[in-house]
Amino acid sequence: MSATILVVEDEPAIQALIEVNLRRAGHNVLLAADAETARQLVRDALPDLVLLDWMLPGMSGIDFARLLRGDARTRRLPIIMLTARAGERDKIDGLELGADDYVTKPFSPRELVARIKAVLRRHAPQATEDAVELGGLRLDPATHRVTAGGEEIGLGPTEFRLLHFLMTHPERVHARSQLLDQVWGDHVFVEERTVDVHIRRLRAALEASGNDALIQTVRGSGYRISSS
Ligand code: CA
């Protein structure tokens, strides 16, 4: 599993411990020692998950979580809160922040990695290596293969990521800007027309197996994958 994880933690020793263990588990790690830096990183590109310390200098972890939940772009971003005492966890629960999980310090790195994996499975399936099936298509991230009726379909890297994201988030309409955020990791410097170009290529690649109709254009809104 290879996800991009933003770690917001101000204690250098804990930051280093988390970083080494997440990298060992195959993840890309972005580091921030305060919420302001984290905010800038999220603005540049969406991570797959945020590991967020409760006690930070300046804006607290809770206020930062609230900020992420209050913005349509980051509302669904998975958050795991790091708390120093079990009591803090109860407080967060009371605040109904909607963090996806909590880890109390001191934690075992193995437990942390396992919790991250579980949250990604539930909330960011595009960051996992689980195979997905939809309509007549099967996509396996581990082998980087897409098949229809046992026949392999050749896709470019962007079309592969695009199809992976769509297949792990079926039936929902995705705006072009959301797809840029999720698939390209950049919603500022890439033109929205780029999405249309790659959707066209993806449909062309799926045409021979009759699966191109899975990808639907929702006029004025964006794209959706649907088997119905
Ligand atoms: Ca702290």
Side-chain angles (χ1 to χ4, degrees), residues 76 125-126 134 161-184 192 195-196 199 214-226:
R76 289 169 188 275
Q126 78 282 3
L134 189 124
R161 286 202 310 277
L162 183 57
L163 182 62
H164 191 198
F165 180 77
L166 291 171
M167 285 178 76
T168 48
H169 299 81
E171 307 302 332
R172 264 189 248 161
V173 181
H174 306 283
R176 289 169 178 79
S177 61
Q178 289 171 332
L179 291 171
L180 285 178
D181 240 357
Q182 298 281 353
V183 178
W184 278 257
E192 295 197 354
V195 176
D196 302 331
I199 287 279
L214 290 174
I215 312 223
Q216 305 171 352
T217 304
V218 182
R219 193 169 292 182
S221 300
Y223 296 101
R224 164 176 64 206
I225 197 164
S226 174

Side-chain angles (χ1 to χ4, degrees), residues 181-206:
D181 240 357
Q182 298 281 353
V183 178
W184 278 257
D186 193 329
H187 64 118
V188 182
F189 301 109
V190 186
E191 282 185 63
E192 295 197 354
R193 254 185 332 161
T194 307
V195 176
D196 302 331
V197 172
H198 288 277
I199 287 279
R200 204 148 53 226
R201 284 187 198 158
L202 180 56
R203 280 190 177 132
L206 299 179

